[in-house]
Amino acid sequence: MIYIYPQAEPFFLQGNKDIALLFIHGFTASPSEVYPVAKLVHEMTQCSVSGLLLPGHGSNPKYLKDTTWEDWYGAVNTEVNYLRENYARVFVVGFSMGALLALHAADQIEGINGIVTINAPIYNNHPLLSVSAPVMRVVKPYFLKKGLVKLRELADQGRFAYEVIPVKAFQSMLSLRHRLVDELCEIRVPLLVIQSLKDESVNPKSADFLMEKIGAVQAKKVELEMSEHVATMGPEKDKIAAEIVAFMTRVCAENNDGIIKKKGQE
């Protein structure tokens, strides 16, 4: 049995049966990094909120090394279909790599009502790693992350993430990104694109690319002026939560389905 660190466990915040919101964490991390925003959304509405743990994450990097994007997406697919069977409306929020998985789900699964991407890594700020990954996976299976001081500060706030990048798994994430680029124009699901302007990992032009290529009829971009990459644990997490709630409310209203209510409303 694979040991999962307590900080990395999946979460589920039970609400009503009207709307379920799935949060997907980023590469090498865990649901802990999206929990602050998920909890805020849950408190602001009556929605049920799920945060799944992707295969290979939350334990030891050696387990992530042997997984692929198909494994990660398989877990997303299972959870989305479970929520669709049990809730009237399903929205998906993806952070970083989780945003790629959320968008792929929108292309593959019918019935998703809306997608929110947060710092989707279409363009990253480490192009050398992307180019050298096929060679590095042979001679150096793990790559030590930069900015360990910041990573450990986030760990002190409750985030669980690996301090190394398994190069083989990173290359698989790049394969997902390449595939997704070709799928974007086919996506017809309402979309909210959130991007940190101080993102040290993802180039902010990624958000512009999504807005240009997405096939969705309803799409909006929100910029975070004060946030770095892990914006879900940063100074604008309240803004992120408010934008997500406003997005879901707007989508439901435009579909004549006013089912988002503040807690205490009947």
Side-chain angles (χ1 to χ4, degrees):
M1 179 180 293
I2 297 176
Y3 176 77
I4 301 299
Y5 282 84
Q7 307 97 304
E9 290 284 353
F11 61 81
F12 191 85
L13 306 175
Q14 183 66 59
N16 60 38
K17 288 289 186 177
D18 292 329
I19 290 184
L21 184 59
L22 173 62
F23 277 79
I24 311 173
H25 65 81
F27 184 60
T28 75
S30 67
S32 56
E33 67 181 0
V34 295
Y35 181 76
V37 169
K39 184 172 184 289
L40 286 170
V41 172
H42 177 66
E43 290 172 348
M44 294 168 66
T45 70
Q46 297 179 10
C47 300
S48 295
V49 182
S50 173
L52 85 168
L53 177 65
L54 299 174
H57 294 75
S59 181
N60 188 295
K62 68 181 181 181
Y63 297 114
L64 179 56
K65 178 176 69 70
D66 294 325
T67 61
T68 67
W69 74 262
E70 289 93 344
D71 297 318
W72 312 327
Y73 176 69
V76 171
N77 181 70
T78 298
E79 184 68 7
V80 169
N81 281 307
Y82 168 78
L83 295 175
R84 287 182 60 242
E85 290 172 1
N86 290 278
Y87 294 85
R89 298 290 182 269
V90 174
F91 290 80
V92 182
V93 180
F95 166 67
S96 196
M97 181 191 73
L100 304 181
L101 293 168
L103 289 165
H104 184 60
D107 180 66
Q108 297 292 309
I109 305 173
E110 293 185 5
I112 294 176
N113 296 92
I115 296 291
V116 180
T117 68
I118 305 171
N119 297 337
I122 301 298
Y123 298 103
N124 66 60
N125 288 331
H126 308 290
L128 183 60
L129 179 58
S130 299
V131 172
S132 61
V135 175
M136 288 182 62
R137 63 180 286 186
V138 177
V139 300
K140 190 176 183 179
Y142 299 99
F143 186 86
L144 185 65
K145 292 180 180 179
K146 296 181 178 180
L148 289 180
V149 172
K150 180 64 176 179
L151 290 175
R152 289 165 185 170
E153 288 177 355
L154 290 170
D156 289 341
Q157 297 175 37
R159 177 180 184 248
F160 179 90
Y162 299 145
E163 293 189 353
V164 297
I165 297 172
V167 179
K168 182 180 176 183
F170 179 79
Q171 189 176 10
S172 185
M173 182 184 71
L174 296 181
S175 297
L176 170 61
R177 185 186 67 183
H178 295 324
R179 173 169 178 158
L180 178 65
V181 166
D182 294 331
E183 295 175 346
L184 288 175
C185 63
E186 303 298 327
I187 295 175
R188 295 293 185 270
V189 177
L191 176 67
L192 174 63
V193 177
I194 301 176
Q195 177 63 53
S196 300
L197 297 185
K198 294 183 177 180
D199 197 322
E200 70 279 13
S201 298
V202 172
N203 192 311
K205 70 179 182 179
S206 297
D208 296 325
F209 182 89
L210 288 178
M211 292 297 293
E212 177 185 349
K213 299 296 183 180
I214 198 73
V217 176
Q218 308 169 50
K220 177 185 177 182
K221 181 178 74 171
V222 173
E223 295 180 337
L224 305 174
E225 296 183 354
M226 300 181 292
S227 298
E228 297 180 343
H229 184 60
V230 189
T232 48
M233 298 182 70
E236 294 174 284
K237 59 180 178 291
D238 292 274
K239 178 177 180 179
I240 296 173
E243 289 287 355
I244 291 172
V245 172
F247 170 69
M248 294 192 300
T249 302
R250 183 169 63 253
V251 170
C252 291
E254 290 175 355
N255 288 280
N256 298 315
D257 189 6
I259 55 180
I260 298 277
K261 304 181 183 70
K262 298 292 184 182
K263 281 193 172 180
Q265 291 182 344
E266 298 182 358

